Amino acid sequence: MRLSRRTFLGGGLAAAAVAVTGTPLLSGCAADKKNQAAANLAVKLPTYLRFTGVKPDLPGTDVVLDGFLKYPANPLRAITEKPGDGRPISFMTNIPGAIPPASDSNQFWQALNERLGSELQISMASNDEYPNKLATRVAGGDLPDIINLPPTTPQIPALLKAKCLDLTGQLSGDAVKKYPFLANIPAEYWKGCIFNGGIYGVPVPRGMSRTTLPLYREDLLLAKGIKDPAPKNFEDFLDLAKELTAPKQNRWAWTKPPISYLRQMFGIANQWKEAGGKFTSFYEAEENADALEGCRKMVAAGVINPDSFSAQASQRKQWFNGGVAAFDIDSFVAWNQYYADNTAGDAFSVNMLDVPGFNGGQGKPWMGAALNNITAFRKDSKHSVETLLKVANWMAAPFGTEEYLFRKYGVQGRHYALQGTDPVPTKTGVVETGIGLQYIADSTLALYSAGKPDVPRKQHTIQQKLASRLVYDASYGLYSETVSKDGPRLVKVMTDLENQIMQGKKPVSDWAPAVKDWLSQGGEKMRGELQQAFSDAAGR
Protein backbone atom coordinates (compact mmCIF):
# COMPACT_ATOMS: atom_id res chain seq x y z
CA MET A 1 0.00 0.00 0.00
CA ARG A 2 1.25 3.49 -0.76
CA LEU A 3 2.50 5.76 1.99
CA SER A 4 -0.67 7.83 2.32
CA ARG A 5 -2.81 4.71 2.14
CA ARG A 6 -1.08 2.98 5.00
CA THR A 7 -2.80 2.90 8.37
CA PHE A 8 -2.42 6.41 9.73
CA LEU A 9 -1.61 7.21 13.30
CA GLY A 10 -4.52 9.36 14.39
CA GLY A 11 -4.70 12.56 16.38
CA GLY A 12 -4.21 10.59 19.60
CA LEU A 13 -0.49 10.37 18.95
CA ALA A 14 -0.21 14.08 18.30
CA ALA A 15 -1.98 14.73 21.61
CA ALA A 16 0.27 12.20 23.32
CA ALA A 17 3.35 13.94 21.95
CA VAL A 18 2.10 17.25 23.30
CA ALA A 19 1.79 15.57 26.70
CA VAL A 20 5.38 14.34 26.47
CA THR A 21 6.99 17.54 25.16
CA GLY A 22 4.76 19.94 27.08
CA THR A 23 4.05 22.07 24.00
CA PRO A 24 2.08 21.82 20.78
CA LEU A 25 4.39 20.21 18.28
CA LEU A 26 6.08 22.40 15.69
CA SER A 27 4.43 25.59 16.83
CA GLY A 28 7.34 27.69 15.56
CA CYS A 29 7.32 30.78 13.38
CA ALA A 30 8.12 30.89 9.68
CA ALA A 31 11.69 31.99 10.36
CA ASP A 32 12.23 28.97 12.62
CA LYS A 33 10.96 26.67 9.88
CA LYS A 34 13.26 28.30 7.33
CA ASN A 35 16.21 27.89 9.71
CA GLN A 36 15.17 24.27 10.21
CA ALA A 37 15.09 23.68 6.47
CA ALA A 38 18.56 25.19 6.16
CA ALA A 39 19.82 22.95 8.97
CA ASN A 40 18.32 19.88 7.28
CA LEU A 41 19.90 20.89 4.00
CA ALA A 42 23.31 21.07 5.68
CA VAL A 43 23.14 17.45 6.90
CA LYS A 44 25.52 15.21 4.99
CA LEU A 45 23.76 11.98 4.10
CA PRO A 46 25.46 8.68 4.98
CA THR A 47 27.96 7.53 2.36
CA TYR A 48 26.55 4.72 0.21
CA LEU A 49 28.87 1.71 0.16
CA ARG A 50 27.26 -1.08 -1.85
CA PHE A 51 27.77 -4.64 -0.60
CA THR A 52 29.42 -6.71 -3.34
CA GLY A 53 29.93 -9.98 -1.48
CA VAL A 54 27.19 -11.84 -3.36
CA LYS A 55 26.63 -11.74 -7.14
CA PRO A 56 22.96 -11.72 -8.24
CA ASP A 57 21.70 -14.11 -10.92
CA LEU A 58 19.44 -11.36 -12.25
CA PRO A 59 21.32 -8.06 -11.80
CA GLY A 60 19.28 -5.02 -10.91
CA THR A 61 19.77 -1.30 -11.46
CA ASP A 62 19.27 1.73 -9.26
CA VAL A 63 15.53 0.97 -9.65
CA VAL A 64 15.14 -2.74 -10.52
CA LEU A 65 15.97 -5.04 -7.61
CA ASP A 66 18.62 -7.77 -7.77
CA GLY A 67 17.22 -11.25 -8.34
CA PHE A 68 18.51 -14.58 -7.04
CA LEU A 69 17.43 -17.99 -8.33
CA LYS A 70 18.82 -19.86 -5.31
CA TYR A 71 20.40 -19.08 -1.97
CA PRO A 72 24.20 -19.09 -2.18
CA ALA A 73 25.91 -22.22 -0.88
CA ASN A 74 28.12 -21.65 2.17
CA PRO A 75 26.76 -18.16 2.89
CA LEU A 76 29.21 -15.59 4.18
CA ARG A 77 29.35 -15.02 7.94
CA ALA A 78 29.63 -11.24 7.71
CA ILE A 79 29.66 -10.24 11.41
CA THR A 80 31.85 -12.12 13.86
CA GLU A 81 31.14 -10.34 17.16
CA LYS A 82 27.81 -10.28 18.94
CA PRO A 83 26.27 -6.81 18.63
CA GLY A 84 24.52 -6.78 22.01
CA ASP A 85 26.01 -5.71 25.34
CA GLY A 86 24.64 -8.54 27.48
CA ARG A 87 21.68 -6.55 28.81
CA PRO A 88 18.04 -6.76 27.57
CA ILE A 89 17.16 -4.44 24.67
CA SER A 90 13.52 -3.45 24.22
CA PHE A 91 11.81 -2.95 20.85
CA MET A 92 8.27 -1.98 19.85
CA THR A 93 6.73 -2.81 16.48
CA ASN A 94 3.70 -3.71 14.46
CA ILE A 95 3.35 -7.25 13.12
CA PRO A 96 1.67 -7.87 9.73
CA GLY A 97 0.69 -11.47 10.49
CA ALA A 98 -0.49 -13.35 13.55
CA ILE A 99 1.28 -12.61 16.83
CA PRO A 100 3.95 -15.34 17.18
CA PRO A 101 4.70 -17.45 20.28
CA ALA A 102 6.38 -15.61 23.16
CA SER A 103 10.11 -15.91 23.64
CA ASP A 104 9.90 -18.60 26.33
CA SER A 105 8.20 -20.95 23.84
CA ASN A 106 9.79 -19.68 20.62
CA GLN A 107 13.05 -21.40 19.71
CA PHE A 108 13.81 -18.89 16.94
CA TRP A 109 13.57 -15.99 19.38
CA GLN A 110 15.80 -17.85 21.86
CA ALA A 111 18.40 -18.53 19.17
CA LEU A 112 18.23 -14.86 18.15
CA ASN A 113 18.96 -13.71 21.70
CA GLU A 114 22.01 -15.98 21.80
CA ARG A 115 23.33 -14.57 18.52
CA LEU A 116 22.73 -10.97 19.53
CA GLY A 117 24.35 -11.34 22.92
CA SER A 118 21.37 -9.52 24.46
CA GLU A 119 17.79 -10.53 25.11
CA LEU A 120 15.58 -8.72 22.59
CA GLN A 121 12.32 -7.89 24.37
CA ILE A 122 9.69 -7.17 21.71
CA SER A 123 6.35 -5.49 22.33
CA MET A 124 4.11 -6.30 19.35
CA ALA A 125 0.75 -5.21 18.03
CA SER A 126 -1.16 -5.93 14.84
CA ASN A 127 -1.04 -3.37 12.03
CA ASP A 128 -4.52 -2.16 13.00
CA GLU A 129 -3.75 -1.86 16.72
CA TYR A 130 -0.25 -0.40 16.51
CA PRO A 131 -1.21 3.30 16.18
CA ASN A 132 -3.11 3.26 19.47
CA LYS A 133 -0.40 1.25 21.21
CA LEU A 134 2.28 3.68 20.09
CA ALA A 135 0.18 6.67 21.17
CA THR A 136 -0.32 5.14 24.61
CA ARG A 137 3.39 4.46 25.07
CA VAL A 138 4.31 7.98 23.96
CA ALA A 139 1.76 9.54 26.31
CA GLY A 140 2.99 7.41 29.21
CA GLY A 141 6.65 8.24 28.57
CA ASP A 142 7.19 4.49 28.32
CA LEU A 143 9.17 4.15 25.11
CA PRO A 144 11.44 1.16 24.39
CA ASP A 145 15.10 1.37 23.42
CA ILE A 146 14.25 0.82 19.73
CA ILE A 147 11.06 2.30 18.24
CA ASN A 148 9.34 1.56 14.92
CA LEU A 149 7.96 4.93 13.72
CA PRO A 150 5.84 4.89 10.55
CA PRO A 151 6.47 7.85 8.21
CA THR A 152 2.88 8.97 8.89
CA THR A 153 3.51 9.54 12.60
CA PRO A 154 1.94 12.96 13.31
CA GLN A 155 4.37 15.82 13.86
CA ILE A 156 7.30 13.48 13.89
CA PRO A 157 10.11 16.08 14.04
CA ALA A 158 9.25 17.33 17.52
CA LEU A 159 8.59 13.83 18.82
CA LEU A 160 12.02 12.72 17.61
CA LYS A 161 13.74 15.80 19.03
CA ALA A 162 12.10 15.39 22.44
CA LYS A 163 12.49 11.65 22.91
CA CYS A 164 15.04 10.18 20.48
CA LEU A 165 18.78 10.18 19.82
CA ASP A 166 20.38 12.41 17.19
CA LEU A 167 22.50 9.95 15.18
CA THR A 168 24.25 12.46 12.92
CA GLY A 169 27.66 12.06 14.51
CA GLN A 170 27.55 8.29 14.11
CA LEU A 171 26.03 8.08 10.60
CA SER A 172 26.67 11.24 8.56
CA GLY A 173 29.08 10.96 5.63
CA ASP A 174 31.86 8.40 6.03
CA ALA A 175 31.05 7.83 9.72
CA VAL A 176 28.47 5.27 8.63
CA LYS A 177 31.24 3.02 7.32
CA LYS A 178 31.67 1.75 10.88
CA TYR A 179 28.31 0.05 10.23
CA PRO A 180 28.83 -1.40 6.73
CA PHE A 181 25.34 -2.79 6.28
CA LEU A 182 23.74 0.51 7.18
CA ALA A 183 26.13 2.03 4.62
CA ASN A 184 24.68 -0.50 2.14
CA ILE A 185 21.34 1.37 2.29
CA PRO A 186 21.24 3.89 -0.63
CA ALA A 187 21.31 7.58 0.29
CA GLU A 188 17.82 8.18 -1.13
CA TYR A 189 16.28 6.26 1.77
CA TRP A 190 18.13 8.30 4.39
CA LYS A 191 16.41 11.48 3.17
CA GLY A 192 13.31 10.35 5.06
CA CYS A 193 15.29 10.30 8.33
CA ILE A 194 16.47 13.94 8.28
CA PHE A 195 14.71 16.10 10.88
CA ASN A 196 15.71 18.94 13.23
CA GLY A 197 18.98 19.42 11.38
CA GLY A 198 20.13 15.86 12.00
CA ILE A 199 19.76 12.15 11.24
CA TYR A 200 17.18 10.87 13.71
CA GLY A 201 16.64 7.30 12.59
CA VAL A 202 17.64 4.33 10.48
CA PRO A 203 15.50 3.82 7.35
CA VAL A 204 13.68 0.57 6.64
CA PRO A 205 13.74 0.76 2.82
CA ARG A 206 10.98 -0.32 0.45
CA GLY A 207 10.68 1.70 -2.79
CA MET A 208 10.39 -0.70 -5.73
CA SER A 209 9.48 -3.60 -3.46
CA ARG A 210 6.40 -1.63 -2.35
CA THR A 211 5.30 -0.78 -5.91
CA THR A 212 1.69 -1.89 -6.08
CA LEU A 213 -0.14 -3.35 -9.10
CA PRO A 214 -2.59 -6.22 -9.70
CA LEU A 215 -1.30 -9.57 -8.54
CA TYR A 216 -3.15 -12.45 -10.13
CA ARG A 217 -3.52 -16.17 -9.58
CA GLU A 218 -1.73 -17.42 -12.68
CA ASP A 219 -2.93 -20.97 -12.03
CA LEU A 220 -6.60 -19.92 -11.97
CA LEU A 221 -6.23 -17.96 -15.20
CA LEU A 222 -4.44 -20.88 -16.89
CA ALA A 223 -7.34 -23.15 -15.89
CA LYS A 224 -9.53 -20.80 -17.95
CA GLY A 225 -7.11 -20.97 -20.87
CA ILE A 226 -5.75 -17.47 -20.21
CA LYS A 227 -1.97 -17.23 -20.50
CA ASP A 228 -0.02 -13.98 -20.15
CA PRO A 229 -3.00 -11.64 -19.75
CA ALA A 230 -2.18 -8.19 -21.10
CA PRO A 231 -5.31 -6.03 -21.35
CA LYS A 232 -4.81 -3.20 -23.85
CA ASN A 233 -7.24 -0.78 -22.16
CA PHE A 234 -9.92 -0.59 -19.48
CA GLU A 235 -12.55 -2.40 -21.53
CA ASP A 236 -10.17 -5.35 -22.07
CA PHE A 237 -9.42 -5.29 -18.36
CA LEU A 238 -13.15 -5.37 -17.49
CA ASP A 239 -13.80 -8.21 -19.94
CA LEU A 240 -11.00 -10.21 -18.30
CA ALA A 241 -12.58 -9.62 -14.88
CA LYS A 242 -15.99 -10.78 -16.13
CA GLU A 243 -14.45 -13.96 -17.53
CA LEU A 244 -13.01 -14.81 -14.12
CA THR A 245 -16.20 -14.18 -12.14
CA ALA A 246 -18.61 -16.99 -11.21
CA PRO A 247 -20.75 -15.98 -8.21
CA LYS A 248 -22.53 -19.34 -8.07
CA GLN A 249 -19.14 -20.98 -7.52
CA ASN A 250 -18.24 -18.31 -4.93
CA ARG A 251 -15.63 -16.82 -7.25
CA TRP A 252 -15.03 -13.20 -8.16
CA ALA A 253 -12.30 -11.60 -10.19
CA TRP A 254 -11.34 -9.00 -7.59
CA THR A 255 -10.89 -8.73 -3.81
CA LYS A 256 -11.71 -4.99 -3.95
CA PRO A 257 -12.11 -2.19 -6.52
CA PRO A 258 -8.61 -1.31 -7.85
CA ILE A 259 -9.01 2.47 -7.79
CA SER A 260 -5.26 3.19 -7.61
CA TYR A 261 -4.70 0.96 -10.68
CA LEU A 262 -7.27 2.88 -12.68
CA ARG A 263 -5.63 6.14 -11.62
CA GLN A 264 -2.34 4.77 -12.94
CA MET A 265 -4.09 3.92 -16.22
CA PHE A 266 -4.83 7.64 -16.52
CA GLY A 267 -1.34 8.75 -15.50
CA ILE A 268 -2.64 10.55 -12.41
CA ALA A 269 0.03 11.80 -9.99
CA ASN A 270 1.49 9.54 -7.30
CA GLN A 271 0.20 11.51 -4.26
CA TRP A 272 1.81 14.83 -5.25
CA LYS A 273 3.44 16.03 -8.45
CA GLU A 274 5.79 18.97 -8.79
CA ALA A 275 6.33 21.17 -11.84
CA GLY A 276 8.34 24.37 -11.69
CA GLY A 277 8.17 24.34 -7.90
CA LYS A 278 4.35 24.11 -7.93
CA PHE A 279 2.68 21.11 -6.25
CA THR A 280 -0.56 19.41 -7.30
CA SER A 281 -2.37 16.65 -5.39
CA PHE A 282 -3.57 13.54 -7.18
CA TYR A 283 -7.04 14.39 -5.89
CA GLU A 284 -7.11 17.41 -8.20
CA ALA A 285 -6.73 15.47 -11.47
CA GLU A 286 -9.87 15.72 -13.63
CA GLU A 287 -9.42 12.06 -14.62
CA ASN A 288 -10.42 10.99 -11.09
CA ALA A 289 -14.06 11.16 -12.18
CA ASP A 290 -13.45 8.63 -14.98
CA ALA A 291 -11.36 6.39 -12.70
CA LEU A 292 -14.14 6.35 -10.10
CA GLU A 293 -16.72 5.70 -12.79
CA GLY A 294 -14.62 2.77 -14.01
CA CYS A 295 -14.58 1.24 -10.53
CA ARG A 296 -18.30 1.90 -10.11
CA LYS A 297 -18.79 0.04 -13.40
CA MET A 298 -16.76 -2.91 -12.09
CA VAL A 299 -18.84 -3.10 -8.90
CA ALA A 300 -22.07 -2.89 -10.91
CA ALA A 301 -20.83 -5.66 -13.21
CA GLY A 302 -20.43 -7.94 -10.17
CA VAL A 303 -16.72 -8.66 -10.68
CA ILE A 304 -15.78 -7.47 -7.16
CA ASN A 305 -16.37 -9.66 -4.12
CA PRO A 306 -19.60 -8.22 -2.64
CA ASP A 307 -18.12 -8.22 0.88
CA SER A 308 -15.05 -6.20 -0.18
CA PHE A 309 -16.12 -2.90 1.41
CA SER A 310 -16.55 -4.42 4.87
CA ALA A 311 -13.66 -6.92 4.79
CA GLN A 312 -10.32 -6.42 6.51
CA ALA A 313 -7.10 -6.74 4.50
CA SER A 314 -6.40 -10.14 6.09
CA GLN A 315 -9.72 -11.49 4.83
CA ARG A 316 -9.08 -10.24 1.30
CA LYS A 317 -5.71 -12.03 1.36
CA GLN A 318 -7.49 -15.22 2.37
CA TRP A 319 -9.84 -14.85 -0.60
CA PHE A 320 -6.88 -14.59 -2.94
CA ASN A 321 -5.04 -17.54 -1.40
CA GLY A 322 -8.20 -19.63 -1.34
CA GLY A 323 -9.16 -18.90 -4.95
CA VAL A 324 -12.28 -16.93 -4.01
CA ALA A 325 -10.70 -14.03 -5.93
CA ALA A 326 -8.24 -14.17 -8.84
CA PHE A 327 -6.88 -10.60 -8.48
CA ASP A 328 -5.64 -8.52 -5.58
CA ILE A 329 -3.83 -5.19 -5.82
CA ASP A 330 -0.63 -5.39 -3.79
CA SER A 331 3.16 -5.20 -3.83
CA PHE A 332 6.22 -7.34 -4.47
CA VAL A 333 6.49 -7.88 -0.71
CA ALA A 334 2.96 -9.31 -0.70
CA TRP A 335 3.77 -11.46 -3.74
CA ASN A 336 6.32 -13.39 -1.67
CA GLN A 337 4.06 -13.47 1.37
CA TYR A 338 1.30 -15.15 -0.65
CA TYR A 339 3.62 -18.06 -1.30
CA ALA A 340 4.45 -18.30 2.39
CA ASP A 341 0.73 -18.35 3.23
CA ASN A 342 -0.26 -20.58 0.31
CA THR A 343 -3.02 -23.09 1.05
CA ALA A 344 -3.65 -24.14 -2.56
CA GLY A 345 -0.77 -26.59 -2.96
CA ASP A 346 1.95 -26.90 -5.58
CA ALA A 347 -0.19 -25.54 -8.42
CA PHE A 348 -0.36 -22.11 -6.74
CA SER A 349 1.24 -19.46 -8.94
CA VAL A 350 1.23 -15.66 -8.83
CA ASN A 351 2.12 -13.01 -11.39
CA MET A 352 1.61 -9.26 -11.85
CA LEU A 353 -0.15 -7.19 -14.51
CA ASP A 354 1.48 -4.25 -16.22
CA VAL A 355 -0.65 -1.11 -16.43
CA PRO A 356 -2.15 -0.11 -19.80
CA GLY A 357 -3.52 3.30 -20.66
CA PHE A 358 -7.25 3.58 -19.89
CA ASN A 359 -8.01 4.05 -23.58
CA GLY A 360 -4.92 2.31 -24.94
CA GLY A 361 -1.17 2.77 -24.91
CA GLN A 362 0.77 2.55 -21.64
CA GLY A 363 -0.21 3.66 -18.17
CA LYS A 364 2.13 5.14 -15.59
CA PRO A 365 2.83 2.89 -12.57
CA TRP A 366 3.48 4.50 -9.20
CA MET A 367 6.81 3.91 -7.48
CA GLY A 368 6.25 2.43 -4.02
CA ALA A 369 6.73 4.45 -0.86
CA ALA A 370 10.44 4.79 -0.09
CA LEU A 371 10.19 3.76 3.56
CA ASN A 372 8.21 1.27 5.57
CA ASN A 373 9.26 3.04 8.77
CA ILE A 374 12.20 4.72 10.39
CA THR A 375 13.78 3.15 13.45
CA ALA A 376 14.56 5.59 16.23
CA PHE A 377 16.42 5.04 19.51
CA ARG A 378 15.19 6.36 22.84
CA LYS A 379 17.26 9.33 24.01
CA ASP A 380 17.66 8.07 27.58
CA SER A 381 18.32 4.43 26.69
CA LYS A 382 20.76 2.74 29.07
CA HIS A 383 22.49 1.20 26.07
CA SER A 384 25.19 3.08 24.19
CA VAL A 385 24.25 4.45 20.78
CA GLU A 386 27.00 2.23 19.35
CA THR A 387 25.32 -0.90 20.74
CA LEU A 388 21.95 0.06 19.27
CA LEU A 389 23.53 0.83 15.89
CA LYS A 390 25.44 -2.47 15.95
CA VAL A 391 22.12 -4.28 16.44
CA ALA A 392 20.60 -2.34 13.53
CA ASN A 393 23.65 -3.09 11.38
CA TRP A 394 23.30 -6.81 12.17
CA MET A 395 19.62 -6.69 11.19
CA ALA A 396 20.54 -5.02 7.87
CA ALA A 397 22.94 -7.75 6.73
CA PRO A 398 21.91 -8.37 3.10
CA PHE A 399 20.77 -11.36 1.10
CA GLY A 400 23.43 -14.03 0.73
CA THR A 401 24.93 -13.62 4.18
CA GLU A 402 24.61 -16.14 6.99
CA GLU A 403 23.03 -13.44 9.17
CA TYR A 404 20.28 -12.83 6.60
CA LEU A 405 19.67 -16.58 6.29
CA PHE A 406 19.15 -16.89 10.03
CA ARG A 407 17.15 -13.67 10.42
CA LYS A 408 14.68 -14.54 7.66
CA TYR A 409 14.56 -18.34 7.91
CA GLY A 410 15.74 -19.40 11.37
CA VAL A 411 17.48 -22.63 12.30
CA GLN A 412 17.88 -25.47 9.82
CA GLY A 413 15.87 -28.55 10.75
CA ARG A 414 13.28 -26.71 12.80
CA HIS A 415 12.45 -23.57 10.86
CA TYR A 416 13.49 -24.63 7.39
CA ALA A 417 14.67 -27.62 5.39
CA LEU A 418 17.32 -27.30 2.72
CA GLN A 419 16.20 -28.00 -0.83
CA GLY A 420 19.54 -27.90 -2.60
CA THR A 421 20.89 -24.68 -1.09
CA ASP A 422 17.44 -23.13 -0.64
CA PRO A 423 15.95 -22.75 2.87
CA VAL A 424 12.33 -23.86 2.45
CA PRO A 425 10.34 -22.73 5.52
CA THR A 426 8.47 -25.23 7.66
CA LYS A 427 5.11 -24.35 9.22
CA THR A 428 6.91 -23.88 12.54
CA GLY A 429 9.39 -21.59 10.82
CA VAL A 430 6.67 -19.37 9.38
CA VAL A 431 5.06 -19.03 12.82
CA GLU A 432 8.15 -18.54 14.98
CA THR A 433 10.20 -16.20 12.77
CA GLY A 434 7.46 -13.59 12.35
CA ILE A 435 8.60 -11.38 15.25
CA GLY A 436 9.15 -8.16 13.27
CA LEU A 437 12.94 -8.02 13.03
CA GLN A 438 12.65 -6.47 9.55
CA TYR A 439 11.33 -3.29 11.19
CA ILE A 440 14.51 -2.69 13.19
CA ALA A 441 16.57 -2.49 10.01
CA ASP A 442 16.65 -4.24 6.65
CA SER A 443 18.56 -4.28 3.42
CA THR A 444 16.78 -3.42 0.19
CA LEU A 445 14.63 -6.36 -0.88
CA ALA A 446 16.18 -9.11 -2.96
CA LEU A 447 13.96 -10.85 -5.49
CA TYR A 448 14.02 -14.43 -4.25
CA SER A 449 11.68 -17.25 -3.24
CA ALA A 450 13.13 -20.37 -1.63
CA GLY A 451 12.86 -23.32 -4.00
CA LYS A 452 10.87 -21.30 -6.54
CA PRO A 453 13.25 -19.74 -9.09
CA ASP A 454 10.35 -18.82 -11.38
CA VAL A 455 9.16 -16.25 -8.83
CA PRO A 456 12.21 -13.93 -9.01
CA ARG A 457 12.31 -14.41 -12.79
CA LYS A 458 8.73 -13.13 -13.11
CA GLN A 459 9.35 -10.32 -10.63
CA HIS A 460 12.51 -9.18 -12.39
CA THR A 461 10.76 -9.25 -15.77
CA ILE A 462 7.85 -7.05 -14.68
CA GLN A 463 10.16 -4.64 -12.85
CA GLN A 464 12.20 -4.18 -16.02
CA LYS A 465 8.98 -3.37 -17.90
CA LEU A 466 7.90 -0.82 -15.30
CA ALA A 467 11.19 0.89 -14.47
CA SER A 468 11.30 3.59 -17.14
CA ARG A 469 7.65 4.64 -16.61
CA LEU A 470 7.55 4.87 -12.82
CA VAL A 471 5.98 7.98 -11.32
CA TYR A 472 7.44 9.19 -8.01
CA ASP A 473 5.76 11.01 -5.12
CA ALA A 474 7.21 14.52 -5.23
CA SER A 475 6.50 15.06 -1.52
CA TYR A 476 8.93 12.39 -0.32
CA GLY A 477 11.52 13.84 2.06
CA LEU A 478 9.52 17.07 2.52
CA TYR A 479 7.70 17.83 5.76
CA SER A 480 4.29 19.51 5.95
CA GLU A 481 2.83 20.17 9.38
CA THR A 482 -0.69 20.15 7.92
CA VAL A 483 -0.17 16.81 6.17
CA SER A 484 1.04 15.45 9.50
CA LYS A 485 -1.75 16.88 11.65
CA ASP A 486 -4.77 16.91 9.34
CA GLY A 487 -3.84 14.52 6.53
CA PRO A 488 -5.27 11.35 8.10
CA ARG A 489 -8.65 12.95 8.80
CA LEU A 490 -8.91 14.45 5.32
CA VAL A 491 -7.80 11.23 3.62
CA LYS A 492 -10.53 9.35 5.48
CA VAL A 493 -13.17 11.79 4.21
CA MET A 494 -12.03 11.34 0.61
CA THR A 495 -11.67 7.57 0.92
CA ASP A 496 -15.18 7.27 2.38
CA LEU A 497 -16.54 9.24 -0.57
CA GLU A 498 -14.61 7.07 -3.03
CA ASN A 499 -16.19 3.97 -1.50
CA GLN A 500 -19.69 5.43 -1.64
CA ILE A 501 -19.25 6.44 -5.28
CA MET A 502 -17.84 3.04 -6.25
CA GLN A 503 -20.81 1.32 -4.56
CA GLY A 504 -23.23 3.56 -6.45
CA LYS A 505 -24.48 5.21 -3.25
CA LYS A 506 -23.33 8.66 -4.38
CA PRO A 507 -22.86 10.10 -7.89
CA VAL A 508 -19.47 10.68 -9.45
CA SER A 509 -20.41 14.36 -9.69
CA ASP A 510 -19.94 14.61 -5.90
CA TRP A 511 -16.17 14.24 -6.35
CA ALA A 512 -15.34 17.70 -7.71
CA PRO A 513 -17.03 19.66 -4.89
CA ALA A 514 -15.41 17.30 -2.35
CA VAL A 515 -12.00 18.17 -3.77
CA LYS A 516 -12.79 21.87 -3.32
CA ASP A 517 -13.71 21.15 0.30
CA TRP A 518 -10.50 19.17 0.75
CA LEU A 519 -8.50 22.12 -0.58
CA SER A 520 -10.25 24.65 1.67
CA GLN A 521 -9.99 22.44 4.77
CA GLY A 522 -6.26 21.81 4.48
CA GLY A 523 -5.22 20.82 0.98
CA GLU A 524 -4.17 24.33 -0.03
CA LYS A 525 -2.20 24.69 3.17
CA MET A 526 -0.48 21.35 2.49
CA ARG A 527 0.40 22.54 -0.99
CA GLY A 528 1.90 25.77 0.32
CA GLU A 529 3.94 24.01 2.98
CA LEU A 530 5.26 21.41 0.52
CA GLN A 531 6.15 24.13 -1.98
CA GLN A 532 8.01 26.05 0.70
CA ALA A 533 9.80 22.90 1.89
CA PHE A 534 10.73 22.09 -1.70
CA SER A 535 12.08 25.60 -2.23
CA ASP A 536 14.04 25.47 1.03
CA ALA A 537 15.48 22.05 0.22
CA ALA A 538 16.40 22.85 -3.39
CA GLY A 539 19.83 21.53 -4.17
CA ARG A 540 19.97 18.93 -1.39
Side-chain angles (χ1 to χ4, degrees), residues 297-493:
K297 199 172 178 180
M298 291 179 72
V299 173
V303 301
I304 313 288
N305 188 305
D307 295 325
S308 69
F309 290 96
S310 59
Q312 296 288 328
S314 58
Q315 187 174 358
R316 292 195 294 267
K317 289 180 184 296
Q318 288 170 10
W319 294 340
F320 186 81
N321 265 326
V324 174
F327 285 91
D328 186 32
I329 190 155
D330 218 321
S331 68
F332 289 90
V333 175
W335 186 333
N336 279 39
Q337 190 60 43
Y338 277 130
Y339 278 94
D341 297 339
N342 166 34
T343 58
D346 292 340
F348 183 86
S349 181
V350 176
N351 213 328
M352 181 181 272
L353 278 186
D354 198 346
V355 52
F358 192 87
N359 295 309
Q362 292 185 313
K364 294 183 177 179
W366 291 346
M367 180 61 151
L371 303 182
N372 181 81
N373 62 283
I374 71 169
T375 296
F377 304 136
R378 192 179 77 205
K379 186 180 286 187
D380 59 354
S381 172
K382 293 178 181 176
H383 302 276
S384 70
V385 64
E386 289 78 13
T387 293
L388 298 176
L389 284 169
K390 281 180 182 179
V391 169
N393 182 66
W394 188 89
M395 296 290 176
F399 183 92
T401 62
E402 195 276 340
E403 289 81 4
Y404 183 101
L405 177 63
F406 170 76
R407 196 172 77 247
K408 300 289 186 180
Y409 296 97
V411 176
Q412 183 182 352
R414 178 173 178 84
H415 301 114
Y416 68 86
L418 279 181
Q419 182 178 312
T421 60
D422 285 324
V424 177
T426 63
K427 289 183 179 178
T428 300
V430 171
V431 170
E432 290 192 354
T433 59
I435 61 176
L437 301 184
Q438 70 271 32
Y439 303 138
I440 294 179
D442 212 351
S443 56
T444 52
L445 184 77
L447 302 178
Y448 169 75
S449 183
K452 298 179 175 65
D454 281 350
V455 172
R457 283 195 186 101
K458 292 172 189 173
Q459 292 175 331
H460 198 259
T461 296
I462 188 69
Q463 288 195 3
Q464 288 179 312
K465 288 181 181 178
L466 302 174
S468 65
R469 298 173 7 241
L470 286 165
V471 177
Y472 292 74
D473 177 2
S475 71
Y476 170 63
L478 304 176
Y479 183 76
S480 159
E481 185 176 353
T482 306
V483 169
S484 181
K485 279 199 316 185
D486 299 332
R489 173 180 58 81
L490 294 173
V491 165
K492 185 178 186 307
V493 170

Side-chain angles (χ1 to χ4, degrees), residues 2 4 7 28 53 107 144 156 174 189 251 270 276 309 346 349 356 363 383 391 398 420 450 509 525 538-539:
R2 307 187 312 280
S4 71
T7 301
Q107 290 188 32
I156 196 170
D174 287 348
Y189 297 110
R251 290 195 171 186
N270 179 358
F309 290 96
D346 292 340
S349 181
H383 302 276
V391 169
S509 58
K525 201 170 179 184

Side-chain angles (χ1 to χ4, degrees), residues 57-79:
D57 301 302
L58 306 168
T61 65
D62 58 346
V63 175
V64 176
L65 299 171
D66 288 338
F68 296 84
L69 304 182
K70 59 183 183 296
Y71 208 87
N74 305 312
L76 168 72
R77 182 73 178 266
I79 301 173

Side-chain angles (χ1 to χ4, degrees), residues 221 226 229 231 235-244 253 327 353:
L221 270 67
I226 303 169
E235 290 304 325
D236 270 5
F237 173 68
L238 181 57
D239 288 343
L240 175 64
K242 289 176 180 176
E243 193 170 352
L244 292 163
F327 285 91
L353 278 186

